[in-house]
Amino acid sequence: MAAVVALAFVFLFMFPVSSHVRALSSNYYDHTCPQLESIVASAVKKAMSNDKTVPAALLRMHFHDCFIRGCDASVLLNSNGKNKAEKDGPPNISLHAFYVIDHAKKALEASCPGIVSCADILALAARDAVALSGGPTWNVPKGRKDGRISLATETRQLPAPTFNISQLQQNFAQRGLSIEDLVALSGGHTLGFSHCSSFQNRIHSFNATLDVDPTMQLSFAARLRSVCPAHNKVKNAGSPLDSTNFIFDNAYYKLLLQGKSIFSSDQALLTTPKTKALVSKFASSQKAFEKAFVGSMIKMSSLTGGQEIRLDCRVVR
């Protein structure tokens, strides 16, 4: 699908998160594959020139990868006759742009065969997606390994767009991520698009007495209702996640404070004093947001769980 649902997820607390922090290094490939970063950046740039939804897709893909078994590229694996893989789990059906990772991997196998993991390629591609959309850049610690297990059932571990603040905090805490990380990483919603199904709960039959979530700005809610009627039949109907959805900026936080957020999980960030203060801080300072986002991305992407270097990112041999 052409549109991107950026970071929209489903819920589970029952499964343990199988991941740990591996010693990573920003110069891990300096001698074995010095052209790594330029090859990945080239693949991302080329894809972006043909499809402006690619950055949101890559950022979301990396997030979904890291939240299940750590950043091990398990989200890239294809289903086979015996197993339904993560990418075919309900929250991941709308993931796309896997070909960007495939193209980078093919070029790297020609340049430095058997050296670079698919997990590292995805981490770098997500960084490049942010930087090439006008956001910050950073040194990505490298040395991840690729996992061999990918289960669609485990996508229930991903945080859902309907989560309240306590569910979000618990979900992030299970991965060693703080409240500050939660608010900063939610800023990834500055890129992308959501289908109606992920926010239908806020604009139709909100509760027993109200049709629309009262925290939503009235004209904004009316616009969403016009795009997404109660019995919507238009497959790709939905809304951008913020007003500048192809530019990495802090508009997401500004709109959140105006009652113009898309997901319940966005609005949830205003329901505790600490998270609301962080939202206000990031809304008033893009520099503060970018600094926090970079730190939280490095922290999240340091969750590792793989064991090998895959030669084909989509297949375990």
Side-chain angles (χ1 to χ4, degrees), residues 13-128:
F13 292 139
M14 291 87 79
F15 290 95
V17 178
S18 176
S19 64
H20 59 276
V21 177
R22 185 190 304 277
L24 304 176
S25 167
S26 59
N27 59 3
Y28 188 85
Y29 297 107
D30 282 4
H31 300 295
T32 54
C33 194
Q35 58 277 64
L36 163 62
E37 300 216 9
S38 62
I39 287 173
V40 173
S42 177
V44 175
K45 283 179 188 175
K46 184 176 180 181
M48 283 179 65
S49 70
N50 295 315
D51 180 359
K52 59 186 179 180
T53 71
V54 161
L58 293 173
L59 183 57
R60 181 173 181 242
M61 193 187 299
H62 181 48
F63 187 102
H64 282 213
D65 184 39
C66 293
F67 262 56
I68 300 174
R69 296 180 176 270
C71 313
D72 66 347
S74 54
V75 74
L76 304 178
L77 287 170
N78 289 337
S79 296
N80 57 41
K82 296 177 289 185
N83 179 62
K84 189 175 180 181
E86 286 172 36
K87 65 164 59 170
D88 292 319
N92 286 341
I93 292 295
S94 56
L95 288 180
H96 74 285
F98 293 102
Y99 69 90
V100 181
I101 309 302
D102 294 337
H103 290 172
K105 180 64 170 174
K106 183 177 180 180
L108 288 164
E109 286 304 307
S111 182
C112 35
I115 299 295
V116 182
S117 69
C118 300
D120 277 341
I121 296 171
L122 180 51
L124 287 165
R127 186 273 313 272
D128 292 340

